[in-house]
Amino acid sequence: MGSYIIRRVLQMIPVFLGATFLIFVMVYALPGDPIAAMFGDKAADPAQVASLRHKYYLDQPLWKQYLHYMNNLFHLDFGTSFTGRSVADIMADAFPVTIRLALVAFFFEIVVGLPLGVLSGLKRGTIWDTLVLIITLLVISIPVFVLGYIAQTVFATDLGWVTPTVQDSEDITQLILPGAVLAALSLAYVARLTRTSIGENLRADYIRTATAKGLPRRTIVTRHLLRNSLIPVVTFLGTDLGALMGGAIVTEGIFNIKGVGNILYRAIGQKEGPTVVGIVTVLVVVYLVASLLVDLLYAVLDPRIRYA
Amino acid sequence: MPDVHDENDPKPLPPPGSGHLDYVGNQGLLVEQDTLIEPDPAKREEARSLWGDAWRDLRRQPIFILSALLIVLLVIIAIFPGLFTNANPRQANLAKDFLRPPDWTDFFGAGWWGYDGQGRSVYARVLYGARASITVGICVTLAVTVLGGLAGMAAGFFGGWVDSVLSRVIDIFFGIPLLLGCLVLLNAFTTRTVWTVVLALAVLGWTQIARVMRGAVITVKQADYVVAGKALGAGTNRLMFRHILPNALAPVIVVATIALGGYITAEATLSFLGIGLQDPTISWGVDISSAQKVIRQAPYVLFFPAAALSVTVLAFIMMGDAVRDALDPKLR
């Protein structure tokens, strides 16, 4: 196991460098001049432009800019945004909000998605199964921005149960509606994945053995069936939690939550290079660590999997 | 070949005289056996491949038929939107038609589904918007299947350092969330057409297919018939495209069909966020985005493009589900 982890961590290094370089190229090498944009409609003073370019390292070739950035990153310095605010500051504001939202969404996925999947998997072919299949199919096909608007209009504007936008992201009750909207798609996947997994395991020999030796159904389901069926679901949930940390551009936009997705969307529109690169770098690390943990979790849950 | 005369063996026998001496020899045995076990004649009648089996299954599935009909209809609408309406989707008469509510008696007419905040026919715009969505969905899927398929095939087939390098490249692209990467990429273009969006989604989206293809190729590569092909002196190309590809394609096709719906959603989301398609292209995403402003007075302006988008995505996801069930031998 130890050598496996070391190998995986070593493999993560080129992926980290590659992904950050890719985003670096997309942000800085593609057309669009952030310095010119800073002046808006005013005519820019060439000397000032030159000094700004120098300050942000934009007068250097791209690879040098990247090395400079990586060097700073190594000293945990994410740089300054073009508005003069430190990128680390911006992230320190945005990430807690997104993490709270992600946890609310994650809660819904487990508390609603799992039971739905177990229900339809155990009662395969009944009306409950069909119902769950239809509902999840609908949720998967309705885009999140439509779902978000419907939820906002119905629950906030018409019924008045919640405020249409999130005023205070520290108040968990305000995050319930956006969290549910954000969770909807993954929730449907969790339900379907659980259903398929249970369906496959129900035919397994060990279930037949357990039935044949006269175990009560409850024991078979909880001790034998669920434990094995939930392995792929748990790994999906792990990957998804990593993805949820990346913020939700659409959901955070609709409910005006000042999280990572919202900040990132604005930064992309305003060509705020340092902010975009900084946040995406963190997201890449989160993704890499999450997928490593999921693989390790897999080995813990399924004793047949051994990493050498 | 001890199993040849097993009644459950679906392996077809070549016709007598086709030059397979050992088979001819075995067939005598089999005929003898036939008289003993009298297999179901319908079962022996045709030799069926995985694809043949899947096709037989699919034709009987109502979900497949429903989604196929929907997709055919959508494609016809995308190619000839004029067949279904005379209204011009770009004609805007603010004085007369501003948010005019739907006229349910005006079947297939301009005012059937009402008018939007700029006095344009919602019905006409929904019909003409199908083209962008369907084009993006199909073109991106084709592009990622070819691109990801080749990469995954090369990585899986050659293994070794080719696999190491390609797998790291796949990991790199996989590490950047699709929507986020597309936002950054598309933001660099001031004018964006359907093809710009296709390009962005394809460049960042090919890794999923590549991973699936790589896994499938690695599994198939170890099969006896591939080893046999190699032993008989088949070249790399022949092995890859005649022996491995047809047998590794099933999971790729399933993932690609389901992903198609996802790409349509991605295009609509990008357009909704204002970084996807722009005028004069008519896009459901853009229409949904502009309908937000009038959702209180005129919910139908939001409803119809949203419903069209959902139905389109639904059709492709149902199709993918049906194909997966048909191709998955475990469910048989």
Side-chain angles (χ1 to χ4, degrees):
Chain A
M1 195 73 136
S3 69
Y4 172 79
I5 296 177
I6 292 172
R7 206 170 65 227
R8 277 291 302 265
V9 171
L10 287 178
Q11 277 180 354
M12 277 157 67
I13 295 172
V15 175
F16 171 76
L17 293 176
T20 46
F21 187 67
L22 191 65
I23 199 78
F24 209 81
V25 170
M26 291 199 318
V27 169
Y28 288 111
L30 290 172
D33 186 351
I35 302 294
M38 284 167 85
F39 288 90
D41 291 337
K42 274 192 285 179
D45 171 16
Q48 211 176 352
V49 170
S51 111
L52 276 170
R53 270 189 206 293
H54 185 70
K55 182 182 164 200
Y56 288 108
Y57 254 77
L58 293 173
D59 53 350
Q60 302 283 331
L62 193 71
W63 64 271
K64 265 195 180 169
Q65 289 181 40
Y66 180 71
L67 286 185
H68 176 71
Y69 186 82
M70 276 297 138
N71 185 33
N72 281 347
L73 199 60
F74 204 65
H75 298 95
L76 290 178
D77 173 10
F78 282 93
T80 11
S81 77
F82 292 138
T83 53
R85 223 180 140 204
S86 124
V87 175
D89 252 16
I90 297 177
M91 290 197 288
D93 277 355
F95 267 103
V97 178
T98 289
I99 291 172
R100 275 196 292 273
L101 181 64
L103 289 179
V104 173
F106 195 63
F107 175 79
F108 276 112
E109 282 174 29
I110 294 176
V111 171
V112 183
L114 267 184
L116 280 183
V118 172
L119 176 78
S120 83
L122 287 179
K123 302 200 181 280
R124 214 183 174 92
T126 63
I127 181 86
W128 297 107
D129 182 28
T130 319
L131 209 62
V132 169
L133 276 184
I134 291 176
I135 291 173
T136 50
L137 201 58
L138 281 180
V139 169
I140 292 173
S141 25
I142 298 177
V144 65
F145 51 94
V146 174
L147 207 63
Y149 273 109
I150 296 174
Q152 196 180 39
T153 313
V154 172
F155 294 108
T157 331
D158 289 346
L159 295 172
W161 291 354
V162 284
T163 48
T165 54
V166 174
Q167 318 289 333
D168 174 14
S169 69
E170 304 220 346
D171 179 2
I172 291 291
T173 54
Q174 295 197 8
L175 289 179
I176 290 176
L177 188 62
V181 169
L182 181 59
L185 183 66
S186 299
L187 191 154
Y189 280 126
V190 167
R192 298 194 131 218
L193 193 59
T194 312
R195 173 183 180 273
T196 315
S197 181
I198 285 187
E200 273 171 16
N201 278 311
L202 264 179
R203 303 175 179 195
D205 290 340
Y206 67 87
I207 295 291
R208 193 167 29 194
T209 310
T211 317
K213 73 181 181 187
L215 283 183
R217 183 161 163 82
R218 172 178 292 272
T219 317
I220 297 176
V221 169
T222 52
R223 293 275 180 81
H224 296 255
L225 183 65
L226 284 187
R227 275 196 186 184
N228 284 294
S229 303
L230 291 186
I231 293 174
V233 183
V234 169
T235 55
F236 173 84
L237 283 171
T239 321
D240 198 55
L241 187 62
L244 285 175
M245 291 298 167
I249 294 177
V250 176
T251 313
E252 290 184 1
I254 291 176
F255 294 98
N256 195 28
I257 302 166
K258 298 279 182 291
V260 174
N262 210 333
I263 302 288
L264 203 51
Y265 174 60
R266 277 169 209 215
I268 291 170
Q270 292 159 0
K271 300 218 170 282
E272 267 287 356
T275 314
V276 177
V277 175
I279 293 181
V280 175
T281 303
V282 175
L283 294 187
V284 169
V285 173
V286 169
Y287 158 76
L288 288 173
V289 173
S291 44
L292 174 64
L293 289 181
V294 164
D295 282 353
L296 297 180
L297 192 64
Y298 222 151
V300 173
L301 291 176
D302 189 343
R304 284 171 302 184
I305 298 175
R306 282 277 168 264
Y307 297 121
Chain B
M1 277 205 155
D3 285 337
V4 155
H5 44 272
D6 185 328
E7 59 172 304
N8 291 323
D9 195 329
K11 237 176 275 167
L13 294 172
S18 64
H20 296 257
L21 284 177
D22 54 333
Y23 274 108
V24 175
N26 275 333
Q27 207 176 23
L29 246 174
L30 191 103
V31 170
E32 198 181 281
Q33 189 106 14
D34 272 354
T35 53
L36 287 174
I37 52 170
E38 287 178 23
D40 181 6
K43 228 174 163 182
R44 294 272 290 112
E45 176 177 285
E46 48 178 326
R48 297 205 310 266
S49 61
L50 175 67
W51 302 101
D53 263 349
W55 177 233
R56 278 169 62 101
D57 258 24
L58 280 178
R59 277 181 307 184
R60 287 196 225 121
Q61 275 222 20
I63 294 219
F64 174 76
I65 295 168
L66 182 70
S67 59
L69 286 178
L70 259 176
I71 290 171
V72 169
L73 178 69
L74 285 163
V75 170
I76 294 175
I77 292 177
I79 303 174
F80 312 107
L83 277 181
F84 301 84
T85 178
N86 293 322
N88 181 344
R90 296 190 179 86
Q91 184 185 316
N93 188 342
L94 267 182
K96 188 160 116 328
D97 294 330
F98 174 74
L99 290 184
R100 193 141 65 92
D103 174 7
W104 303 114
T105 55
D106 185 14
F107 288 119
F108 300 104
W112 193 19
W113 292 349
Y115 292 84
D116 70 4
Q118 294 186 52
R120 299 171 302 191
S121 159
V122 172
Y123 177 58
R125 288 192 74 79
V126 166
L127 286 178
Y128 279 81
R131 182 173 294 176
S133 282
I134 302 278
T135 314
V136 168
I138 291 179
C139 292
V140 174
T141 306
L142 286 179
V144 296
T145 308
V146 171
L147 206 66
L150 285 177
M153 168 75 99
F157 184 80
F158 293 112
W161 66 269
V162 178
D163 185 24
S164 301
V165 171
L166 277 173
S167 289
R168 290 299 85 72
V169 174
I170 292 171
D171 285 349
I172 288 171
F173 278 84
F174 207 81
I176 295 178
L178 181 66
L179 196 62
L180 189 61
C182 284
L183 280 176
V184 176
L185 205 55
L186 286 171
N187 194 45
F189 297 89
T190 41
T191 50
R192 295 178 295 267
T193 63
V194 168
W195 304 113
T196 334
V197 176
V198 168
L199 187 78
L201 282 169
V203 163
L204 294 164
W206 58 277
T207 49
Q208 189 190 13
I209 297 280
R211 285 189 164 184
V212 174
M213 182 61 127
R214 177 177 172 273
V217 168
I218 287 177
T219 316
V220 171
K221 200 170 72 168
Q222 291 150 0
D224 288 344
Y225 56 82
V226 176
V227 179
K230 210 186 237 167
L232 288 170
T236 307
N237 278 336
R238 192 179 167 81
L239 275 180
M240 269 211 240
F241 293 103
R242 296 295 297 275
H243 294 259
I244 296 180
L245 186 65
N247 294 292
L249 215 50
V252 173
I253 286 178
V254 171
V255 172
T257 324
I258 297 179
L260 208 160
Y263 295 132
I264 291 179
T265 312
E267 179 273 310
T269 310
L270 289 167
S271 302
F272 169 83
L273 289 171
I275 309 195
L277 296 172
Q278 311 159 305
D279 271 341
T281 313
I282 298 171
S283 153
W284 293 332
V286 175
D287 281 5
I288 293 170
S289 164
S290 49
Q292 291 164 44
K293 285 170 239 142
V294 296
I295 188 171
R296 303 299 306 153
Q297 311 99 292
Y300 54 86
V301 180
L302 180 100
F303 175 79
F304 287 106
L309 178 60
S310 305
V311 167
T312 309
V313 176
L314 184 69
F316 283 104
I317 291 179
M318 285 197 313
M319 168 82 94
D321 266 8
V323 172
R324 183 190 48 207
D325 288 352
L327 283 174
D328 189 353
K330 260 190 274 178
L331 291 171
R332 196 144 283 140

